[in-house]
Amino acid sequence: MSSKDPLLDVSGLTKHFPIKGGFPIRRTVGAVQAVDGLDFSITEGESLGLVGESGCGKSTTGRLITRLLEPTAGTISYRGQDITHATRKQLAPVRSEIQMIFQDPYASLNPRQTVGKIITAPMEINDINPAGGREARVRELLETVGLNPEHYNRFPHEFSGGQRQRIGVARALALEPKLIVADEPVSALDVSIQAQVVNLLQKLQKELGIAFLFIAHDLAVVRHFSQRVAVMYLGRIVEIADREDLYGNPRHPYTRALLSAVPETTADDTPARERIRLAGDVPSPVDPPSGCRFRTRCWKATDKCASEAPPLVRVEGSREGHLTACHHPEDTRAVPAVPKARDAASGPKLGKKTTEDPGAGA
Ligand SMILES: Nc1ncnc2c1ncn2[C@@H]1O[C@H](COP(=O)(O)OP(=O)(O)O)[C@@H](O)[C@H]1O
Ligand code: SF4
Ligand SMILES: [Mg+2]
């Protein structure tokens, strides 16, 4: 963890969606425990990756932070200010600083509006008038995201998927945000385009100092992007660590399983790993397993795992800031075939060739 004050601090964040049923009177008969007690923080300019299988609560987390959803419990503070239940009016100054980029660049842009109009909208809504005028600012933003400023009057359908996602990025940048929640921003894009969009976001993070919560369903994408990574399973964080620690010494069995599925072509400094195939499906968040939620799929589960939920703590042998929620953590360092992840720039590449070049620009 950085010693800097957090930009965003989330504590005990919970979202349970009520399930209505019954006849003739409809009442709450249960709840989807989509997000169940998350603790994490993001410092200024930092990128935190949030990873987990589909349905584990990533988008719900993103929507809670951007206050598109009301939390069931827990607190969200931004720059030390509690915004958990802030009203629209109270949120106004903060809202412009926290922006979201959505997964589907097709569904998230109004097809009847020109690109210029789409990117201008946040400035209009927030009554922001940049020095050189809004149109000049939009052209500048188009250039920033690698689009032709002359395409100001074009409509979304005239662009490819990757270009549309760039439009979404330009819109998110219009209010000079401090934090962007990017919800699987490249999942809907062609694999060949994904690296280009990730590179763009990386450039923005570095050059504009924008912090990111970067949501992804596998560990390959965030590897190039996030200094810290949190792994989620069924509404809870099971492991959180600096990138080097998480990839080099995963302590939670689920993290290890996810890592074993990372295609080695995208992780050039990852040694060969044995592929771990998880048995069964993700259980329903309506009725999650007792104790450790991962126990129905874990090859190490014991009675303790069924009766006690493991707390998210620093386990023996982990470095500071590396937290794991497991009663019987892995220790991959004990296996000589799995050396510690190194700085990608140093040392030999272990004979693995990358096909994806994160340095290849748009
Ligand atoms: N508005 C909603 N009402 C009820 N259940 C929801 C709602 N939104 C999401 N869920 C449920 O919450 C769980 C987590 O969903 P989501 O946050 O979208 O996961 P992810 O983004 O990781 O795929 C899923 O079981 C999903 O069906
Ligand atoms: S607590 Fe038990 S069931 Fe859960 S991940 Fe650890 S060993 Fe597996
Ligand atoms: Mg999602």
Side-chain angles (χ1 to χ4, degrees):
M1 278 269 262
S2 163
S3 56
K4 281 195 281 181
D5 285 340
L7 185 64
L8 181 85
D9 191 53
V10 161
S11 169
L13 190 63
T14 301
K15 181 70 187 179
H16 291 181
F17 294 104
I19 301 168
K20 303 279 183 191
F23 184 83
I25 301 159
R26 281 173 67 76
R27 58 202 164 80
T28 302
V29 293
V32 180
Q33 301 182 25
V35 169
D36 200 55
L38 303 189
D39 298 309
F40 64 86
S41 56
I42 303 177
T43 54
E44 215 158 304
E46 176 189 53
S47 167
L48 174 69
L50 187 64
V51 174
E53 282 164 293
S54 181
C56 72
K58 305 181 297 295
S59 294
T60 302
T61 305
R63 292 200 193 103
L64 287 167
I65 289 166
T66 46
R67 289 296 320 276
L68 297 169
L69 281 175
E70 190 69 17
T72 308
T75 56
I76 305 168
S77 67
Y78 181 76
R79 289 188 192 285
Q81 183 196 344
D82 186 343
I83 60 163
T84 321
H85 301 290
T87 61
R88 265 187 169 277
K89 206 173 158 193
Q90 290 166 329
L91 263 184
V94 169
R95 188 154 244 154
S96 66
E97 295 194 9
I98 308 177
Q99 293 293 315
M100 191 149 178
I101 300 172
F102 297 92
Q103 177 169 355
D104 189 347
Y106 295 86
S108 57
L109 303 177
N110 185 336
R112 282 180 287 277
Q113 289 185 345
T114 63
V115 166
K117 179 99 184 114
I118 289 170
I119 303 172
T120 310
M123 291 187 253
E124 274 170 1
I125 294 163
N126 291 277
D127 200 23
I128 285 167
N129 294 291
R134 286 178 186 161
E135 184 172 332
R137 173 77 179 130
V138 171
R139 288 178 191 275
E140 190 184 288
L141 286 166
L142 285 171
E143 232 174 327
T144 304
V145 299
L147 292 172
N148 185 343
E150 301 304 316
H151 294 170
Y152 185 91
N153 283 315
R154 293 200 181 177
F155 289 89
H157 74 262
E158 298 177 73
F159 295 87
S160 68
Q163 288 172 325
R164 280 185 224 205
Q165 195 53 297
R166 288 172 192 267
I167 297 168
V169 174
R171 175 178 57 187
L173 291 178
L175 299 178
E176 301 183 13
K178 294 277 184 284
L179 173 68
I180 292 181
V181 174
D183 188 1
E184 301 206 37
V186 299
S187 298
L189 303 179
D190 202 82
V191 176
S192 60
I193 308 297
Q194 292 187 354
Q196 296 174 7
V197 174
V198 172
N199 288 340
L200 167 66
L201 297 176
Q202 203 154 27
K203 185 184 94 168
L204 300 173
Q205 192 216 344
K206 282 188 185 136
E207 292 176 8
L208 304 175
I210 299 170
F212 276 84
L213 179 69
F214 192 104
I215 298 173
H217 61 254
D218 67 48
L219 280 163
V221 175
V222 294
R223 184 180 185 105
H224 294 298
F225 192 76
S226 297
Q227 292 91 49
R228 247 172 359 116
V229 178
V231 176
M232 263 184 102
Y233 187 81
L234 264 186
R236 291 190 181 152
I237 291 178
V238 297
E239 185 157 23
I240 182 166
D242 285 349
R243 167 171 46 197
E244 292 72 24
D245 294 329
L246 192 98
Y247 289 81
N249 188 21
R251 308 302 305 270
H252 198 282
Y254 181 59
T255 309
R256 221 185 133 201
L258 280 185
L259 261 180
S260 80
V262 171
E264 291 176 21
T265 46
T266 62
D268 56 345
D269 54 349
T270 305
R273 289 175 202 276
E274 187 194 345
R275 178 78 195 256
I276 300 166
R277 285 182 199 284
L278 293 175
D281 295 323
V282 183
S284 163
V286 175
D287 186 20
S290 64
C292 173
R293 291 185 170 190
F294 185 57
R295 72 176 166 82
T296 55
R297 299 169 83 197
C298 183
W299 60 95
K300 298 173 92 175
T302 60
D303 290 348
K304 188 180 183 187
C305 304
S307 58
E308 276 178 49
L312 184 66
V313 293
R314 182 175 169 188
V315 297
E316 203 188 321
S318 283
R319 295 207 301 189
E320 205 191 325
H322 184 169
L323 309 178
T324 310
C326 178
H327 295 307
H328 314 292
E330 298 281 287
D331 196 351
T332 46
R333 293 168 319 157
V335 185
V338 187
K340 192 116 173 59
R342 295 153 295 111
D343 179 0
S346 72
K349 291 279 192 269
L350 292 165
K352 294 284 178 265
K353 192 161 175 356
T354 4
T355 51
E356 179 196 14
D357 179 11

